[in-house]
Amino acid sequence: MFHRGTGWLCLLGLLPLLQARAGDDADLEAGDQAVVKVLDQHLFSQPLFYSAPVAELSLGEVLGISAESGDWFEARTGAGISGWVHSTAITETGVDLAHTGGGSGSVSAEEITLSGRGFNADIEASYRDENPDLDFTPVDQMERMEVEPGELYQFLLDGNLLEGEVE
Amino acid sequence: MMIPHQASLLLCLAASAMFGLGNLDDIVDIIESDEVESAIEVAEAFREAGRELSDSEEYYLGRAVAANILTLYSPSDCAEFQEYLNLVGAAVALSSPMPATYGGWHFVLLDSDQINAMACPGGLVFICRGLLEQVSSEDELACILAHEVSHVALRHGIRSVENAKWMDAFTTLGTEAAELSGSDLDEITEGFGDIALDITSNLMTTGYSRTSEREADSLAVIIADAAGYDAGGLEIVLDRMCGIEDRSGQGFWQTHPSPESRRSDVEDALEERGITESSDHSGRDARFAGMIAVLDSGAGTATSGRGTGESGSGGSSASTGRDGSSTGTGRGSSDSSTDGRGAESSGR
């Protein structure tokens, strides 16, 4: 199935752009292992954000990669569930979680994210203590506004932004 | 200072690699040479500190920026419109170069008469009701959100921070052990706060550079089109804003180039990429009209009185946009939600 509109007619030309931040995030191939590097993400039945989710993924979860399709990887969870995950949601395993910088090496973004270092929840808590006038409650409320894949699919379909159906 | 085009491409790719943006390919011709230099400078600060800025750090900075913004504005309490806004936002963001972010994409309508929209690092996006007043269709709304998503994807907020502030923060962070305490924690917290305030100030007062805005417009056109929306919606909104004579207010007029100049740039971007009008959008127009009706009907109860007097626009909000200068897309009646989605607004 394809989106309607000129955008998807030009999809091939746009792929490099849409991969822009994905390319170096997940330099993976079949047989590799990957780690989830975002807080909340689904494993999807198809390489589409609006296809049916088959599992919920969590930060740091290890996945086995079995195939690649564009920006998406087919992956299997530790519980044996297979599905598709977008390349911007995962990174290679093998990042050094104990690496703190210094010496000759540079600390990668993935190492910082997966080790929970750098600007993190502790720094935010300290910042909040020092700025009691700042209210993070509406920020937390904002983050609770999530769009479920099925809801998005119906929205895209109703808006004539999709053509065809996803199983 | 201008630099030769080929050199700028190389610098851009180098900066992109340092930022962790990967191979930018098509984005290369969006990022302009003077912006490349600015990106290089910040990337150099990261390199000297021996580290990159991670998605999680961008997320926490974005939360702090959002908290600062929300001391000045209140979110609209119209849950149904907020849900709709997040659906349009998701449709756009998932067609962007960074569909999955550490904390996800989230969109909020602010009860403010200001004509403005703001995007925090990591994917928290705000649009003021005053700007929504200038919008007459879902496609136009999608284009505005695509512009904000582009600012995040191109890391304009991160790039707008003074180099020295990154260096100050990273001097301690770069050699950080497992847990922080005492003076190290205080120092890093101060650096974190300085950076968050810098980004907030750039969003609210100073604005990004003209070239950053042009980049965001160029990428917005691509993203909106990729999502199936009519990317020409951006040109229509800018055209409508060109008709506004009173440009003395805060927000957009302070932080953005003139709509006249942006409209011209967007026109070029549409033409250059051969983007034409999308497929039938009558269904989208109808549900947008329905959502606006829902929003307007509850406008009187929308504000909580927090902040600086930027209260809700109420039922008498300026209507020179949609109503006064609409291009007349035949939106028809605006009675209730049109596709049954409105019933899904509970439980959020």
mmCIF file of all heavy atoms in Angstrom, chain A residues 142 145, chain B residues 70 73-78 81-82 85-86 107-112 116 125-133 141 292 295 302:
data_model
loop_
_atom_site.group_PDB
_atom_site.id
_atom_site.type_symbol
_atom_site.label_atom_id
_atom_site.label_comp_id
_atom_site.label_asym_id
_atom_site.label_seq_id
_atom_site.Cartn_x
_atom_site.Cartn_y
_atom_site.Cartn_z
ATOM 1 N N MET A 142 1.587 16.567 28.962
ATOM 2 C CA MET A 142 1.795 16.628 27.508
ATOM 3 C C MET A 142 2.368 15.300 27.004
ATOM 4 O O MET A 142 1.947 14.774 25.971
ATOM 5 C CB MET A 142 2.760 17.788 27.219
ATOM 6 C CG MET A 142 3.043 18.075 25.782
ATOM 7 S SD MET A 142 4.115 19.546 25.644
ATOM 8 C CE MET A 142 4.139 19.730 23.853
ATOM 9 N N MET A 145 0.049 12.396 26.313
ATOM 10 C CA MET A 145 -0.809 12.410 25.122
ATOM 11 C C MET A 145 -0.132 11.597 24.026
ATOM 12 O O MET A 145 0.811 12.057 23.381
ATOM 13 C CB MET A 145 -1.047 13.851 24.652
ATOM 14 C CG MET A 145 -1.984 14.609 25.570
ATOM 15 S SD MET A 145 -2.541 16.158 24.882
ATOM 16 C CE MET A 145 -1.094 17.160 25.080
ATOM 17 N N LEU B 70 5.911 26.963 29.598
ATOM 18 C CA LEU B 70 4.608 26.794 30.243
ATOM 19 C C LEU B 70 4.452 27.638 31.504
ATOM 20 O O LEU B 70 3.412 27.586 32.163
ATOM 21 C CB LEU B 70 4.354 25.315 30.527
ATOM 22 C CG LEU B 70 4.067 24.497 29.261
ATOM 23 C CD1 LEU B 70 4.137 22.996 29.524
ATOM 24 C CD2 LEU B 70 2.704 24.868 28.673
ATOM 25 N N TYR B 73 2.494 30.408 29.312
ATOM 26 C CA TYR B 73 1.270 30.050 28.593
ATOM 27 C C TYR B 73 0.576 28.881 29.302
ATOM 28 O O TYR B 73 1.235 28.069 29.946
ATOM 29 C CB TYR B 73 1.577 29.591 27.169
ATOM 30 C CG TYR B 73 2.354 30.558 26.319
ATOM 31 C CD1 TYR B 73 3.736 30.481 26.245
ATOM 32 C CD2 TYR B 73 1.702 31.537 25.566
ATOM 33 C CE1 TYR B 73 4.459 31.351 25.442
ATOM 34 C CE2 TYR B 73 2.414 32.407 24.771
ATOM 35 C CZ TYR B 73 3.793 32.312 24.712
ATOM 36 O OH TYR B 73 4.505 33.172 23.923
ATOM 37 N N SER B 74 -0.715 28.808 29.085
ATOM 38 C CA SER B 74 -1.475 27.654 29.589
ATOM 39 C C SER B 74 -1.948 26.809 28.412
ATOM 40 O O SER B 74 -2.408 27.351 27.406
ATOM 41 C CB SER B 74 -2.704 28.129 30.366
ATOM 42 O OG SER B 74 -2.307 28.846 31.498
ATOM 43 N N PRO B 75 -1.896 25.495 28.551
ATOM 44 C CA PRO B 75 -2.457 24.634 27.507
ATOM 45 C C PRO B 75 -3.968 24.812 27.439
ATOM 46 O O PRO B 75 -4.608 25.047 28.462
ATOM 47 C CB PRO B 75 -2.102 23.223 27.979
ATOM 48 C CG PRO B 75 -1.022 23.381 28.983
ATOM 49 C CD PRO B 75 -1.241 24.718 29.620
ATOM 50 N N SER B 76 -4.518 24.690 26.262
ATOM 51 C CA SER B 76 -5.974 24.679 26.122
ATOM 52 C C SER B 76 -6.512 23.439 26.827
ATOM 53 O O SER B 76 -5.879 22.383 26.804
ATOM 54 C CB SER B 76 -6.348 24.631 24.634
ATOM 55 O OG SER B 76 -7.686 24.229 24.477
ATOM 56 N N ASP B 77 -7.667 23.591 27.461
ATOM 57 C CA ASP B 77 -8.231 22.417 28.144
ATOM 58 C C ASP B 77 -9.212 21.659 27.261
ATOM 59 O O ASP B 77 -9.974 20.827 27.736
ATOM 60 C CB ASP B 77 -8.876 22.815 29.479
ATOM 61 C CG ASP B 77 -10.047 23.748 29.297
ATOM 62 O OD1 ASP B 77 -10.394 24.041 28.135
ATOM 63 O OD2 ASP B 77 -10.619 24.185 30.302
ATOM 64 N N CYS B 78 -9.201 21.928 25.967
ATOM 65 C CA CYS B 78 -10.069 21.201 25.044
ATOM 66 C C CYS B 78 -9.371 19.880 24.660
ATOM 67 O O CYS B 78 -8.551 19.838 23.725
ATOM 68 C CB CYS B 78 -10.359 22.030 23.792
ATOM 69 S SG CYS B 78 -11.495 21.212 22.663
ATOM 70 N N PHE B 81 -9.583 18.621 21.014
ATOM 71 C CA PHE B 81 -8.712 19.261 20.016
ATOM 72 C C PHE B 81 -7.257 18.841 20.243
ATOM 73 O O PHE B 81 -6.504 18.663 19.288
ATOM 74 C CB PHE B 81 -8.849 20.791 20.050
ATOM 75 C CG PHE B 81 -8.183 21.429 18.857
ATOM 76 C CD1 PHE B 81 -8.892 21.611 17.677
ATOM 77 C CD2 PHE B 81 -6.834 21.780 18.883
ATOM 78 C CE1 PHE B 81 -8.267 22.133 16.551
ATOM 79 C CE2 PHE B 81 -6.213 22.307 17.760
ATOM 80 C CZ PHE B 81 -6.939 22.489 16.597
ATOM 81 N N GLN B 82 -6.865 18.717 21.507
ATOM 82 C CA GLN B 82 -5.475 18.303 21.777
ATOM 83 C C GLN B 82 -5.212 16.927 21.154
ATOM 84 O O GLN B 82 -4.146 16.671 20.604
ATOM 85 C CB GLN B 82 -5.206 18.258 23.291
ATOM 86 C CG GLN B 82 -5.389 19.591 24.026
ATOM 87 C CD GLN B 82 -4.292 20.614 23.762
ATOM 88 O OE1 GLN B 82 -3.554 20.508 22.777
ATOM 89 N NE2 GLN B 82 -4.192 21.622 24.616
ATOM 90 N N LEU B 85 -4.912 17.410 17.437
ATOM 91 C CA LEU B 85 -3.620 18.028 17.131
ATOM 92 C C LEU B 85 -2.505 16.980 17.160
ATOM 93 O O LEU B 85 -1.600 16.980 16.316
ATOM 94 C CB LEU B 85 -3.330 19.137 18.154
ATOM 95 C CG LEU B 85 -2.067 19.964 17.944
ATOM 96 C CD1 LEU B 85 -2.193 20.834 16.687
ATOM 97 C CD2 LEU B 85 -1.797 20.862 19.154
ATOM 98 N N ASN B 86 -2.574 16.073 18.118
ATOM 99 C CA ASN B 86 -1.542 15.035 18.211
ATOM 100 C C ASN B 86 -1.622 14.040 17.066
ATOM 101 O O ASN B 86 -0.601 13.480 16.658
ATOM 102 C CB ASN B 86 -1.623 14.337 19.569
ATOM 103 C CG ASN B 86 -0.836 15.097 20.624
ATOM 104 O OD1 ASN B 86 0.365 14.896 20.780
ATOM 105 N ND2 ASN B 86 -1.495 16.016 21.316
ATOM 106 N N PHE B 107 2.276 17.172 21.032
ATOM 107 C CA PHE B 107 1.858 18.480 20.534
ATOM 108 C C PHE B 107 0.782 19.062 21.456
ATOM 109 O O PHE B 107 -0.107 18.327 21.902
ATOM 110 C CB PHE B 107 1.298 18.352 19.113
ATOM 111 C CG PHE B 107 2.289 17.766 18.139
ATOM 112 C CD1 PHE B 107 2.500 16.390 18.069
ATOM 113 C CD2 PHE B 107 3.039 18.592 17.304
ATOM 114 C CE1 PHE B 107 3.422 15.843 17.192
ATOM 115 C CE2 PHE B 107 3.968 18.052 16.420
ATOM 116 C CZ PHE B 107 4.160 16.671 16.364
ATOM 117 N N VAL B 108 0.873 20.350 21.719
ATOM 118 C CA VAL B 108 -0.107 20.991 22.605
ATOM 119 C C VAL B 108 -0.528 22.345 22.047
ATOM 120 O O VAL B 108 0.306 23.133 21.579
ATOM 121 C CB VAL B 108 0.473 21.154 24.036
ATOM 122 C CG1 VAL B 108 -0.200 22.296 24.781
ATOM 123 C CG2 VAL B 108 0.289 19.865 24.838
ATOM 124 N N LEU B 109 -1.839 22.584 22.101
ATOM 125 C CA LEU B 109 -2.378 23.901 21.760
ATOM 126 C C LEU B 109 -2.333 24.763 23.009
ATOM 127 O O LEU B 109 -2.789 24.341 24.082
ATOM 128 C CB LEU B 109 -3.828 23.767 21.279
ATOM 129 C CG LEU B 109 -4.551 25.090 21.001
ATOM 130 C CD1 LEU B 109 -3.967 25.787 19.778
ATOM 131 C CD2 LEU B 109 -6.051 24.859 20.816
ATOM 132 N N LEU B 110 -1.768 25.960 22.885
ATOM 133 C CA LEU B 110 -1.693 26.899 24.005
ATOM 134 C C LEU B 110 -2.792 27.937 23.876
ATOM 135 O O LEU B 110 -3.061 28.436 22.770
ATOM 136 C CB LEU B 110 -0.325 27.592 24.029
ATOM 137 C CG LEU B 110 0.891 26.683 24.213
ATOM 138 C CD1 LEU B 110 2.183 27.491 24.056
ATOM 139 C CD2 LEU B 110 0.863 25.995 25.576
ATOM 140 N N ASP B 111 -3.388 28.275 25.001
ATOM 141 C CA ASP B 111 -4.438 29.285 25.004
ATOM 142 C C ASP B 111 -3.807 30.664 25.028
ATOM 143 O O ASP B 111 -3.717 31.293 26.078
ATOM 144 C CB ASP B 111 -5.329 29.091 26.228
ATOM 145 C CG ASP B 111 -6.714 28.686 25.817
ATOM 146 O OD1 ASP B 111 -7.182 29.178 24.784
ATOM 147 O OD2 ASP B 111 -7.312 27.866 26.524
ATOM 148 N N SER B 112 -3.373 31.097 23.899
ATOM 149 C CA SER B 112 -2.744 32.413 23.799
ATOM 150 C C SER B 112 -3.114 33.042 22.469
ATOM 151 O O SER B 112 -3.182 32.358 21.447
ATOM 152 C CB SER B 112 -1.217 32.278 23.876
ATOM 153 O OG SER B 112 -0.595 33.469 23.455
ATOM 154 N N ASN B 116 2.013 32.323 17.150
ATOM 155 C CA ASN B 116 3.323 31.717 17.380
ATOM 156 C C ASN B 116 3.219 30.204 17.506
ATOM 157 O O ASN B 116 2.162 29.667 17.809
ATOM 158 C CB ASN B 116 3.952 32.291 18.663
ATOM 159 C CG ASN B 116 5.470 32.324 18.598
ATOM 160 O OD1 ASN B 116 6.055 31.892 17.607
ATOM 161 N ND2 ASN B 116 6.105 32.831 19.636
ATOM 162 N N VAL B 125 6.125 20.068 21.007
ATOM 163 C CA VAL B 125 5.778 21.147 20.070
ATOM 164 C C VAL B 125 4.536 21.888 20.571
ATOM 165 O O VAL B 125 3.549 21.259 20.973
ATOM 166 C CB VAL B 125 5.514 20.580 18.660
ATOM 167 C CG1 VAL B 125 5.083 21.685 17.700
ATOM 168 C CG2 VAL B 125 6.760 19.872 18.130
ATOM 169 N N PHE B 126 4.597 23.215 20.542
ATOM 170 C CA PHE B 126 3.475 24.046 20.957
ATOM 171 C C PHE B 126 2.981 24.890 19.787
ATOM 172 O O PHE B 126 3.780 25.378 18.991
ATOM 173 C CB PHE B 126 3.898 25.014 22.077
ATOM 174 C CG PHE B 126 4.387 24.332 23.319
ATOM 175 C CD1 PHE B 126 5.747 24.250 23.603
ATOM 176 C CD2 PHE B 126 3.495 23.764 24.220
ATOM 177 C CE1 PHE B 126 6.204 23.624 24.754
ATOM 178 C CE2 PHE B 126 3.949 23.136 25.379
ATOM 179 C CZ PHE B 126 5.302 23.067 25.644
ATOM 180 N N ILE B 127 1.670 25.082 19.742
ATOM 181 C CA ILE B 127 1.113 26.046 18.794
ATOM 182 C C ILE B 127 0.117 26.895 19.561
ATOM 183 O O ILE B 127 -0.684 26.382 20.346
ATOM 184 C CB ILE B 127 0.463 25.361 17.564
ATOM 185 C CG1 ILE B 127 -0.153 26.410 16.622
ATOM 186 C CG2 ILE B 127 -0.565 24.320 17.968
ATOM 187 C CD1 ILE B 127 -0.608 25.859 15.276
ATOM 188 N N CYS B 128 0.197 28.207 19.368
ATOM 189 C CA CYS B 128 -0.710 29.132 20.052
ATOM 190 C C CYS B 128 -2.015 29.253 19.270
ATOM 191 O O CYS B 128 -2.039 29.160 18.041
ATOM 192 C CB CYS B 128 -0.073 30.516 20.173
ATOM 193 S SG CYS B 128 1.354 30.570 21.258
ATOM 194 N N ARG B 129 -3.052 29.533 20.024
ATOM 195 C CA ARG B 129 -4.357 29.653 19.401
ATOM 196 C C ARG B 129 -4.394 30.828 18.406
ATOM 197 O O ARG B 129 -5.124 30.790 17.418
ATOM 198 C CB ARG B 129 -5.408 29.835 20.487
ATOM 199 C CG ARG B 129 -6.782 29.607 19.997
ATOM 200 C CD ARG B 129 -7.737 29.350 21.132
ATOM 201 N NE ARG B 129 -9.093 29.429 20.623
ATOM 202 C CZ ARG B 129 -10.144 29.012 21.280
ATOM 203 N NH1 ARG B 129 -9.989 28.505 22.478
ATOM 204 N NH2 ARG B 129 -11.330 29.115 20.761
ATOM 205 N N GLY B 130 -3.606 31.841 18.669
ATOM 206 C CA GLY B 130 -3.548 32.976 17.745
ATOM 207 C C GLY B 130 -3.067 32.561 16.364
ATOM 208 O O GLY B 130 -3.525 33.098 15.347
ATOM 209 N N LEU B 131 -2.142 31.628 16.324
ATOM 210 C CA LEU B 131 -1.673 31.132 15.024
ATOM 211 C C LEU B 131 -2.732 30.228 14.396
ATOM 212 O O LEU B 131 -2.950 30.261 13.181
ATOM 213 C CB LEU B 131 -0.343 30.387 15.190
ATOM 214 C CG LEU B 131 0.282 29.800 13.919
ATOM 215 C CD1 LEU B 131 0.432 30.861 12.826
ATOM 216 C CD2 LEU B 131 1.637 29.168 14.212
ATOM 217 N N LEU B 132 -3.386 29.452 15.233
ATOM 218 C CA LEU B 132 -4.449 28.584 14.717
ATOM 219 C C LEU B 132 -5.551 29.406 14.052
ATOM 220 O O LEU B 132 -6.189 28.948 13.099
ATOM 221 C CB LEU B 132 -5.030 27.745 15.867
ATOM 222 C CG LEU B 132 -6.007 26.632 15.489
ATOM 223 C CD1 LEU B 132 -5.323 25.571 14.635
ATOM 224 C CD2 LEU B 132 -6.606 25.994 16.737
ATOM 225 N N GLU B 133 -5.727 30.626 14.546
ATOM 226 C CA GLU B 133 -6.740 31.508 13.946
ATOM 227 C C GLU B 133 -6.405 31.847 12.488
ATOM 228 O O GLU B 133 -7.268 32.265 11.718
ATOM 229 C CB GLU B 133 -6.851 32.816 14.736
ATOM 230 C CG GLU B 133 -7.461 32.668 16.130
ATOM 231 C CD GLU B 133 -8.952 32.415 16.093
ATOM 232 O OE1 GLU B 133 -9.556 32.637 15.027
ATOM 233 O OE2 GLU B 133 -9.506 31.990 17.121
ATOM 234 N N LEU B 141 -2.554 23.368 8.861
ATOM 235 C CA LEU B 141 -2.086 23.056 10.218
ATOM 236 C C LEU B 141 -0.916 22.075 10.146
ATOM 237 O O LEU B 141 0.091 22.231 10.848
ATOM 238 C CB LEU B 141 -3.242 22.462 11.029
ATOM 239 C CG LEU B 141 -2.912 21.963 12.439
ATOM 240 C CD1 LEU B 141 -2.394 23.090 13.324
ATOM 241 C CD2 LEU B 141 -4.145 21.323 13.079
ATOM 242 N N ILE B 292 -12.525 22.717 15.015
ATOM 243 C CA ILE B 292 -12.521 24.150 15.349
ATOM 244 C C ILE B 292 -13.827 24.515 16.054
ATOM 245 O O ILE B 292 -13.840 25.286 17.020
ATOM 246 C CB ILE B 292 -12.332 25.003 14.076
ATOM 247 C CG1 ILE B 292 -10.922 24.802 13.510
ATOM 248 C CG2 ILE B 292 -12.578 26.482 14.375
ATOM 249 C CD1 ILE B 292 -9.789 25.244 14.413
ATOM 250 N N LEU B 295 -13.595 23.334 19.562
ATOM 251 C CA LEU B 295 -12.685 24.214 20.303
ATOM 252 C C LEU B 295 -13.367 25.527 20.641
ATOM 253 O O LEU B 295 -13.315 26.004 21.781
ATOM 254 C CB LEU B 295 -11.431 24.464 19.463
ATOM 255 C CG LEU B 295 -10.330 25.321 20.082
ATOM 256 C CD1 LEU B 295 -9.740 24.636 21.311
ATOM 257 C CD2 LEU B 295 -9.222 25.578 19.061
ATOM 258 N N ALA B 302 -11.512 27.759 28.849
ATOM 259 C CA ALA B 302 -10.205 27.179 28.529
ATOM 260 C C ALA B 302 -9.060 27.630 29.419
ATOM 261 O O ALA B 302 -8.093 26.915 29.570
ATOM 262 C CB ALA B 302 -9.844 27.465 27.081
#
